[in-house]
């Protein structure tokens, strides 16, 4: 039986997410916060707050799982958080003498706050729709959520990136069900906000190759055991 979409819950989620984002980036209400890491997190907390509020208000059954299909959260934490954090911070240290590990984990937590909303809540709520339809809806809502939107070439490129990201991260979420995994993939873009050059491109390719290979390997490892259980 196809599960009905709870549009009321989605509306509550999105309104809270947008209000929090607007306050964080369009007003001076957070200007008194001197901690730069806290400012980063507050810019991304809206989707998580919206998801928790909608789930509570509408008594929804929603997994919001950190570990997903893995036996413990330690495995996706190691592969999708520890690996990129130390690889990128270590490369920075080799090139600049700085080891920004705290910044790396702040960016990862920021990604988790967003992914609790976009994948953990919204994709779950829309999973009865065809994949293309849900991808378009999530991509547009995610794009507009950023609020600093202008209809120019730069933002059209950004919309394309958002659409591709929605599709790709959505595939990872369907395979793993892990918020830690999708937060790591999400954060790959935020790690390199200052631009992508040869070094950054190599790191992106390496990490994507490792993650995709890990998903494929784990998926293949699971299938024989599932087959044996059904014999």
């Amino acid at each position: 039986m196809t599960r009905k979409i709870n549009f009321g819950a989605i509306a509550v989620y999105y309104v809270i997410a947008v209000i929090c984002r607007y306050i964080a980036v369009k007003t001076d209400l957070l200007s008194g916060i001197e901690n730069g890491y806290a400012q980063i997190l507050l810019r991304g907390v809206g989707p998580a707050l919206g998801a928790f509020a909608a789930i509570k208000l509408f008594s929804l059954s929603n997994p919001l799982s950190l570990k997903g299909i893995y036996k413990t959260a330690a495995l996706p934490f190691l592969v999708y958080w520890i690996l990129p954090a130390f690889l990128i911070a270590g490369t920075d240290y080799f090139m600049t003498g700085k080891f920004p590990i705290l910044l790396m984990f702040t960016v990862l937590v920021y990604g988790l706050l967003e992914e609790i909303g976009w994948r953990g809540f919204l994709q779950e709520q829309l999973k009865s729709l065809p994949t293309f339809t849900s991808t378009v809806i999530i991509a547009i809502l995610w794009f507009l959520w950023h609020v600093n939107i202008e209809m120019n070439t730069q933002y059209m490129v950004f919309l394309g990136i958002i659409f591709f990201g929605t599709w790709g991260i959505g595939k990872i979420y369907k395979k793993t069900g892990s918020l830690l995994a999708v937060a790591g993939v999400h954060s790959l873009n935020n790690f390199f906000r200052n631009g992508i050059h040869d070094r950054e491109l190599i790191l992106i390719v390496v990490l994507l190759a490792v993650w995709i290979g890990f998903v494929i390997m784990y998926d293949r490892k699971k299938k024989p055991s599932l087959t044996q259980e059904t014999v």
Side-chain angles (χ1 to χ4, degrees):
M1 187 174 74
T2 303
R3 188 179 71 176
K4 292 183 178 179
I5 298 173
N6 193 323
F7 292 104
I10 293 174
V12 167
Y13 157 74
Y14 196 63
V15 167
I16 293 174
V18 170
I19 289 174
C20 291
R21 179 70 176 185
Y22 185 89
I23 290 172
V25 303
K26 287 290 192 178
T27 73
D28 296 325
L29 290 178
L30 303 182
S31 59
I33 299 175
E34 297 181 359
N35 189 302
Y37 301 117
Q39 289 184 358
I40 291 173
L41 296 178
L42 288 171
R43 288 198 291 269
V45 75
L49 292 180
F52 291 136
I55 290 169
K56 183 67 174 177
L57 287 172
F58 290 86
S59 301
L60 300 178
S61 174
N62 201 294
L64 291 182
S65 174
L66 291 176
K67 67 177 184 176
I69 63 171
Y70 306 108
K71 291 182 179 179
T72 69
L75 187 56
F77 183 72
L78 176 65
V79 174
Y80 294 96
W81 284 50
I82 296 294
L83 175 63
F86 278 89
L87 181 61
I88 295 169
T91 303
D92 269 13
Y93 181 76
F94 178 77
M95 300 296 294
T96 67
K98 298 178 181 179
F99 190 66
I101 193 65
L102 182 56
L103 176 61
M104 296 298 102
F105 278 99
T106 301
V107 171
L108 284 161
V109 174
Y110 173 95
L112 177 61
L113 292 172
E114 278 205 46
E115 287 306 316
I116 287 171
W118 302 119
R119 249 55 60 181
F121 175 77
L122 189 55
Q123 183 168 319
E124 283 288 335
Q125 292 303 308
L126 298 177
K127 65 182 181 182
S128 62
L129 296 177
T131 299
F132 179 78
T133 303
S134 64
T135 298
V136 170
I137 293 172
I138 295 169
I140 292 173
L141 293 178
W142 191 11
F143 175 71
L144 295 176
W145 170 82
H146 286 85
V147 301
N148 290 321
I149 303 301
E150 298 175 12
M151 291 299 116
N152 56 34
T153 304
Q154 177 183 352
Y155 280 97
M156 290 302 97
V157 172
F158 181 55
L159 177 58
I161 293 172
I162 287 286
F163 182 83
F164 179 75
T166 300
W167 173 80
I169 299 173
K171 293 277 285 187
I172 296 293
Y173 183 72
K174 282 183 179 180
K175 283 287 187 181
T176 68
S178 168
L179 290 172
L180 287 175
V182 292
V185 179
H186 177 137
S187 299
L188 197 56
N189 174 64
N190 296 333
F191 283 137
F192 305 115
R193 279 299 177 91
N194 293 328
I196 298 177
H197 306 96
D198 290 346
R199 179 183 52 151
E200 288 80 9
L201 186 58
I202 291 172
L203 288 172
I204 289 172
V205 170
V206 168
L207 285 169
L208 286 177
V210 169
W211 289 338
I212 293 171
F214 179 72
V215 170
I216 293 172
M217 180 188 69
Y218 198 88
D219 192 45
R220 287 178 178 174
K221 184 180 178 182
K222 280 186 61 186
K223 285 180 180 177
S225 62
L226 290 175
T227 303
Q228 292 170 6
E229 287 175 6
T230 55
V231 172

